[in-house]
C-alpha cells in the first residue's frame, strides 16, 4: 500500500529521459486495471517528441506543465466497447495504476483531465489524429521529479458512515 500513501501530483520534471522499460511498466500497470466486463477500453499514445508534447500542453488550460515533461502518455478511450457507459470508470482505474506505478519507479506524474470537455478532446484529436472510434480521456506527463512535495492525508472520519 505504500505507493498509495506516497503518491503526489508532480508537475515539474528533470531534463532527463524516462527509460523505455519504465514506460512499459507504466503501461503494463495501466492494462492490469480492473475493467467492467473485461472490456479494456484503453489505448495509450506514448509521446516523446518535444514538438508534439508542446502542442499537447496547449490542449487544456491546466496542461501547461506537460511542456517540460520528457514523456506524455495520452490515455484514449475506445467507444466501440460492450458497455460504453462504464468505460470512463475503467479508464480512471488504468490511469490511477499509472500514477501509482510511477511512484513505485521513482517517477513523477500527474493526471490532466481531457474528457468530458469537448474543446480539450478536440485539441488532443487535432494533435494526435486519433481515430474516430476513440475519445482522448487524459494526458499523463511523466518524468523524474524536479520538485519535492509532501504527501498529506485526506482521511476525513466525518465522511465515513458505519451501519451496524
Amino acid at each position: 500500500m505504500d505507493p498509495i500513501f506516497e503518491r503526489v501530483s508532480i508537475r515539474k520534471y528533470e531534463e532527463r529521459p524516462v527509460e523505455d522499460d519504465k514506460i512499459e511498466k507504466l503501461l503494463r500497470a495501466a492494462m492490469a486495471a480492473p475493467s467492467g466486463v473485461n472490456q479494456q477500453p484503453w489505448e495509450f499514445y506514448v509521446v516523446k517528441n518535444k514538438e508534439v508534447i508542446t502542442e499537447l500542453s496547449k490542449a487544456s488550460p491546466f496542461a501547461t506543465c506537460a511542456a517540460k515533461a520528457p514523456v506524455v502518455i495520452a490515455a484514449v478511450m475506445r467507444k466501440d466497447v460492450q458497455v460504453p457507459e462504464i468505460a470512463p470508470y475503467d479508464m480512471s482505474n488504468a490511469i490511477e495504476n499509472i500514477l501509482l506505478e510511477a511512484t513505485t519507479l521513482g517517477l513523477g506524474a500527474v493526471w490532466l483531465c481531457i474528457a468530458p470537455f469537448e474543446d480539450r478532446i478536440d485539441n488532443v484529436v487535432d494533435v494526435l489524429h486519433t481515430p474516430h472510434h476513440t475519445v482522448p480521456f487524459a494526458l499523463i506527463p511523466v518524468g523524474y521529479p524536479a520538485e519535492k512535495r509532501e504527501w498529506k492525508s485526506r482521511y476525513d472520519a466525518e465522511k465515513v458512515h458505519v451501519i451496524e
Side-chain angles (χ1 to χ4, degrees):
M1 296 274 288
D2 286 346
I4 292 172
F5 298 111
E6 296 170 4
R7 191 213 64 78
V8 293
S9 294
I10 298 295
R11 293 175 179 84
K12 295 179 182 173
Y13 311 96
E14 293 179 4
E15 289 187 34
R16 127 183 198 203
V18 176
E19 299 85 348
D20 288 340
D21 65 314
K22 289 188 177 184
I23 294 169
E24 182 177 329
K25 287 178 182 179
L26 295 174
L27 298 172
R28 285 182 177 277
M31 294 180 199
S35 170
V37 297
N38 199 30
Q39 64 186 353
Q40 303 174 34
W42 41 69
E43 292 187 17
F44 300 95
Y45 289 72
V46 177
V47 182
K48 298 179 182 181
N49 180 293
K50 291 309 284 180
E51 292 173 13
V52 177
I53 288 173
T54 299
E55 289 306 307
L56 287 174
S57 75
K58 300 172 188 174
S60 159
F62 306 101
T64 56
C65 65
K68 301 279 186 186
V71 176
V72 173
I73 298 173
V76 176
M77 180 175 64
R78 289 191 349 270
K79 296 186 281 187
D80 60 346
V81 294
Q82 186 177 353
V83 188
E85 298 82 4
I86 63 173
Y89 304 105
D90 299 338
M91 295 298 297
S92 297
N93 290 336
I95 293 165
E96 181 69 8
N97 278 10
I98 289 173
L99 299 175
L100 293 173
E101 183 65 6
T103 299
T104 299
L105 296 173
L107 299 169
V110 64
W111 178 337
L112 304 175
C113 185
I114 297 300
F117 304 101
E118 289 297 326
D119 60 329
R120 297 177 194 180
I121 291 169
D122 291 344
N123 290 340
V124 175
V125 168
D126 289 346
V127 174
L128 296 180
H129 309 290
T130 54
H132 294 296
H133 70 280
T134 65
V135 176
F137 190 80
L139 299 175
I140 306 107
V142 179
Y144 286 93
E147 65 178 326
K148 180 73 174 154
R149 298 190 60 226
E150 290 295 319
W151 180 86
K152 294 178 184 157
S153 176
R154 297 178 183 174
Y155 181 78
D156 182 350
E158 292 187 18
K159 294 180 180 178
V160 177
H161 309 279
V162 178
I163 300 171
E164 296 185 42

